[in-house]
Amino acid sequence: MEISGLLNKRTGIIISGSVILILLLFLLLRGPVLRIYVAHKTKEAEARYSLVVSYDKLKMSGLAGIKITGLRIWPSNGDTLFSADYIRMEMNPLKLLFLTPDLRRLDADNIKINFVKIDSLSNFDFLFKTGNKPVSASRGSQTVVGRFNYARNTNNLLSLVLGALPANANISRLNIGYRNEPYSLSIDVPELKVQDDAFNTVITSVDDGLITVLSAEGILDDSERKITARLFARDGAKVSVPFLDFKWGAEVQFDTLAFELSASSRKSDKITLTGKAMAKGISVFHERISPVNVILEKGEFDYKINIGRNYLELDSSSTAIINNFSFSPYLRTEKNMEWKIVASVNKNDFEADELFSSLPKGLFYNLEGIRTEGRLNYHFYLNLDFSRIDSLKLESSLVPEKFRIISSGKTDLRKMNSDFEYSACENGYPVRSFIVGPVNSNFRTLDRISPYLQMAVLQSEDGGFFYHDGFLMESLREALAEDIKERKFRRGGSTISMQLVKNVFLSRNKTLARKFEEVMIVWLIETNRLSSKERMFEVYMNIIEWGPMVYGANEAARFYFDKDVKDININEAIFLASIIPSPKRSLNSFTADFQLKPGMEGYYKLLAQRLRIKGLISEQEEAGIKPEVKLAGEAKRQIQSREK
């Protein structure tokens, strides 16, 4: 027993002595070891990204502190990207012993981060350089591995953000700049203090001469994996978001932005983000969104986002609030060999005025101020697999219950029921105005328009016009699938109702606002029967463009055939229907000797078949229909002038 006790005592002494020796060696050699470690990492960065890293002094400060002065980083062929006069980092001594840095405190002075772009070259191109790890895929299992691991990448990004600032820090004179002549952006932070994970600071941005001052405050809690932040103007004015106007021609302003984010730990390649985002006084302008500023008084978003190895999912328990209207969206995007997107929104039995009183100003100009009563039920579903685009599923329905319009907004949606002035526009500007009604000598009621022309237009543009409620979801689905395959906007899937609303009520600016408002106005007119189908079709036939500065069916009959529209024959009717999608190119359908080009034959056969099915013509008449018309009037004279 005595021998055993002596051995245990001796072992304890040896272990204790070894630990003390290691600590002494660490204290004595930590400076050289640090410099060797930093030199190794610097060489790696220089070799991988063609960077140059230099500093005046690098040394240990205290037991586990690191002090750097005169630090500079720049690409070998570019301007300085990062510089700092002074940086002191206080590390966790135990983790530093094993070369796994854990930052406890940061003090820094005069940090400058400058992004410079000259022509196509920049000093930050290396940031977009991909790593050396390959991306492999298995077609049989439809899986993707490598860097496309969204849970891992999200976890790494969160760790980077949460670890960027320690629990305590004091950073003075921080400047972030971007220069791409003649544009320049400068963001100044005179002092950033972090105490027990909480930070607050004042930020001044100079965006191409526009000065904005705002306050920022929040918490970066690494241990709880939680981020909160709030941005707001100090002087009560709106905050302008920099860079967006220069890069995308967009202007975004706000009164207050705030968000909270909590992240779960990553388990089995899954991470969950929960939190809330809030915005007040948002103003957005972009010419592709709306010709005027879009105003959102308030918006909130309570979210739960599940992120896996190859997918991102917005849980259906999430709630979005736009002004006074709330809904719960679901969205899942999954990446195998191709993307797959599933989205849905279901909101049942809600007050109609919740929706209409919450429409953002600037998106629905004609409906601003509208008041409604009754209840609504909305359903939306999208399922898009990019490996099988034709299998796309699209559903959308807004079902009313005892719904009615109490008062119109800025525009009376019943204006088509009587005579009104119509303005034709080109490139967003009015080029001609005329009255739609009997006072106009070219106006024709339906009973004075050739039935051949009426049916040809219906079968060409919207065969179900008199039977649907303004929309044909299958046509919209097919158009969306084709646009996705072509990667450009080719088909719109518009019904006659949608074309009519676009022409009568909306500007010709191709914006998101116009499309949103078009859909809403069509729904209001069709659901409430504000105008009869017959009157809508009559207005349509009297205002649509049928050639260069040619509007309405009777003008078209005079322009091409020098006759009244009631006398149009079946061949002429099919031709007139064919040019509605591209009226300005109508004369290109003719040869120099005034004959229709051979390419029209297929269209004539298709329309003739549809007219026969509708009972308008017999099989014998169908067989005799050919792309042959006798051109006359102004159209013939213009072709003659073109050929001279």
Side-chain angles (χ1 to χ4, degrees):
M1 292 293 291
E2 290 182 4
I3 295 174
S4 176
L6 288 172
L7 288 174
N8 289 337
K9 185 175 181 180
R10 182 176 295 177
T11 301
I13 292 172
I14 292 172
I15 293 174
S16 299
S18 299
V19 171
I20 292 172
L21 180 61
I22 291 172
L23 290 174
L24 286 172
L25 288 172
F26 170 72
L27 290 172
L28 292 172
L29 300 176
R30 68 191 192 283
V33 170
L34 172 66
R35 283 187 284 274
I36 292 171
Y37 176 78
V38 171
H40 173 68
K41 290 297 182 181
T42 298
K43 285 183 178 179
E44 280 188 355
E46 289 176 344
R48 186 172 185 179
Y49 299 112
S50 299
L51 289 177
V52 180
V53 181
S54 74
Y55 49 85
D56 295 337
K57 289 183 180 180
L58 170 65
K59 65 178 184 178
M60 298 297 298
S61 174
L63 179 63
I66 300 173
K67 184 187 294 185
I68 307 173
T69 59
L71 176 63
R72 288 184 64 218
I73 302 173
W74 69 95
S76 57
N77 61 344
D79 205 343
T80 299
L81 175 66
F82 179 92
S83 67
D85 287 356
Y86 171 85
I87 297 176
R88 184 184 183 279
M89 298 174 287
E90 186 177 315
M91 319 298 288
N92 183 318
L94 184 59
K95 291 189 176 182
L96 185 62
L97 183 63
F98 297 98
L99 297 179
T100 55
D102 179 20
L103 189 60
R104 285 185 168 182
R105 180 176 178 83
L106 173 66
D107 294 283
D109 179 51
N110 199 21
I111 293 180
K112 294 182 179 179
I113 305 172
N114 289 305
F115 300 97
V116 179
K117 187 169 185 178
I118 300 175
D119 297 326
S120 61
L121 299 177
S122 73
N123 68 341
F124 52 90
D125 286 335
F126 73 92
L127 295 173
F128 305 102
K129 185 176 180 180
T130 58
N132 296 323
K133 293 183 179 180
V135 178
S136 61
S138 169
R139 290 186 179 271
S141 61
Q142 290 284 289
T143 60
V144 177
V145 297
R147 61 190 175 94
F148 291 111
N149 187 321
Y150 300 115
R152 182 190 64 203
N153 293 350
T154 301
N155 189 69
N156 292 343
L157 179 61
L158 280 169
S159 298
L160 178 65
V161 172
L162 290 167
L165 288 177
N168 295 282
N170 192 348
I171 301 173
S172 58
R173 296 192 296 169
L174 169 64
N175 176 267
I176 301 173
Y178 176 83
R179 188 171 77 252
N180 186 352
E181 297 295 346
Y183 174 80
S184 66
L185 168 66
S186 177
I187 299 175
D188 282 299
V189 181
E191 186 174 37
L192 172 60
K193 289 186 176 181
V194 183
Q195 185 171 357
D196 297 330
D197 293 316
F199 69 88
N200 66 82
T201 189
V202 176
I203 301 172
T204 301
S205 75
V206 183
D207 183 22
D208 227 14
L210 177 64
I211 300 175
T212 301
V213 181
L214 68 151
S215 293
E217 59 186 26
I219 295 174
L220 291 174
D221 190 339
D222 194 6
S223 61
E224 296 291 330
R225 292 172 65 82
K226 182 177 181 180
I227 301 173
T228 65
R230 188 168 77 100
L231 301 174
F232 55 96
R234 288 175 59 83
D235 54 5
K238 285 188 178 296
V239 175
S240 294
V241 180
F243 191 69
L244 300 182
D245 188 19
F246 163 73
K247 187 65 176 178
W248 295 287
E251 298 175 13
V252 178
Q253 297 179 316
F254 63 87
D255 294 334
T256 302
L257 286 181
F259 72 91
E260 299 175 4
L261 181 147
S262 295
S264 69
S265 57
R266 178 183 164 208
K267 295 180 180 179
S268 301
D269 265 341
K270 180 181 177 181
I271 186 171
T272 299
L273 308 179
T274 57
K276 175 186 290 188
M278 181 275 291
K280 289 184 179 179
I282 292 283
S283 173
V284 178
F285 174 79
H286 191 282
E287 61 180 6
R288 299 301 298 273
I289 297 176
S290 173
V292 298
N293 285 5
V294 176
I295 306 297
L296 177 63
E297 296 298 333
K298 63 176 181 178
E300 295 183 17
F301 187 36
D302 289 300
Y303 59 87
K304 178 181 178 181
I305 302 174
N306 302 310
I307 303 174
R309 176 183 50 79
N310 66 332
Y311 71 87
L312 292 89
E313 180 184 58
L314 177 64
D315 195 88
S316 60
S317 62
S318 304
T319 301
I321 301 175
I322 298 176
N323 292 328
N324 298 314
F325 183 71
S326 66
F327 59 97
S328 296
Y330 172 81
L331 174 66
R332 181 184 174 96
T333 61
E334 183 175 327
K335 182 71 164 71
N336 291 307
M337 295 306 299
E338 297 285 352
W339 281 102
K340 183 176 181 180
I341 301 173
V342 177
S344 67
V345 176
N346 289 286
K347 185 173 176 65
N348 298 319
D349 194 29
F350 61 93
E351 290 285 348
D353 217 44
E354 282 183 23
L355 171 63
F356 288 98
S357 66
S358 298
L359 298 176
K361 293 180 180 179
L363 275 182
F364 302 89
Y365 173 82
N366 292 279
L367 302 181
E368 288 180 12
I370 189 172
R371 293 184 59 230
T372 63
E373 67 177 13
R375 305 190 73 79
L376 299 172
N377 297 272
Y378 182 67
H379 164 73
F380 172 81
Y381 177 74
L382 171 71
N383 190 323
L384 172 59
D385 186 341
F386 279 83
S387 66
R388 298 183 300 119
I389 294 176
D390 286 328
S391 68
L392 180 148
K393 294 181 180 179
L394 178 65
E395 301 169 4
S396 181
S397 62
L398 184 61
V399 180
E401 294 180 8
K402 298 180 180 179
F403 174 84
R404 73 183 186 95
I405 299 173
I406 299 174
S407 61
S408 298
K410 289 187 174 181
T411 301
D412 184 2
L413 301 183
R414 297 177 176 85
K415 77 174 188 177
M416 289 189 296
N417 294 339
S418 57
D419 295 3
F420 67 96
E421 184 179 56
Y422 172 72
S423 293
C425 296
E426 291 184 8
N427 300 319
Y429 296 97
V431 294
R432 184 180 164 194
S433 296
F434 54 88
I435 299 297
V436 180
V439 297
N440 180 350
S441 60
N442 278 308
F443 177 81
R444 295 293 183 270
T445 54
L446 289 180
D447 59 359
R448 296 172 63 198
I449 297 175
S450 165
Y452 292 130
L453 180 58
Q454 292 187 50
M455 188 57 71
V457 169
L458 284 170
Q459 293 306 308
S460 175
E461 293 297 303
D462 183 1
F465 171 71
F466 282 96
Y467 309 102
H468 62 60
D469 58 359
F471 308 98
L472 285 173
M473 289 309 301
E474 181 58 23
S475 294
L476 291 171
R477 188 200 71 80
E478 291 175 355
L480 179 59
E482 183 174 328
D483 291 343
I484 292 171
K485 286 190 289 187
E486 296 292 332
R487 297 182 182 274
K488 62 175 66 175
F489 184 81
R490 286 186 175 273
R491 290 183 56 188
S494 292
T495 61
I496 284 178
S497 303
M498 297 168 74
Q499 295 178 48
L500 182 63
V501 164
K502 178 181 67 177
N503 282 285
V504 173
F505 294 97
L506 305 174
S507 72
R508 301 303 184 274
N509 298 310
K510 291 186 177 181
T511 63
L512 288 175
R514 191 191 75 175
K515 199 64 182 177
F516 291 153
E517 193 168 16
E518 175 188 314
V519 169
M520 191 62 76
I521 292 176
V522 168
W523 184 86
L524 287 167
I525 290 175
E526 291 272 13
T527 300
N528 292 273
R529 299 290 185 261
L530 301 184
S531 295
S532 69
K533 286 283 192 177
E534 289 75 14
R535 175 59 178 172
M536 291 171 70
F537 188 52
E538 183 176 86
V539 171
Y540 179 81
M541 294 293 287
N542 277 278
I543 68 169
I544 58 171
E545 186 177 9
W546 246 305
M549 295 299 290
V550 178
Y551 296 92
N554 196 58
E555 283 192 19
R558 291 292 181 192
F559 180 79
Y560 293 102
F561 307 116
D562 199 21
K563 61 171 65 173
D564 193 281
V565 68
K566 70 177 185 298
D567 300 320
I568 290 294
N569 63 39
I570 192 166
N571 280 7
E572 294 165 343
I574 293 176
F575 165 73
L576 289 176
S578 75
I579 63 177
I580 292 175
S582 301
K584 285 184 169 51
R585 295 198 291 267
S586 59
L587 297 182
N588 294 337
S589 300
F590 292 93
T591 62
D593 57 352
F594 316 118
Q595 302 300 308
L596 284 173
K597 293 179 179 178
M600 295 289 292
E601 188 171 347
Y603 182 83
Y604 264 72
K605 285 184 177 180
L606 176 64
L607 261 290
Q609 181 187 51
R610 291 181 178 179
L611 295 180
R612 188 257 304 162
I613 292 173
K614 286 295 181 180
L616 198 65
I617 60 174
S618 65
E619 289 187 7
Q620 185 177 1
E621 288 174 311
E622 177 190 359
I625 292 176
K626 297 179 181 179
E628 296 175 355
V629 296
K630 185 178 180 180
L631 198 63
E634 180 61 26
K636 185 175 182 179
R637 286 190 287 273
Q638 289 191 18
I639 291 178
Q640 288 173 329
S641 299
R642 182 186 69 188
E643 298 301 324
K644 287 182 180 179

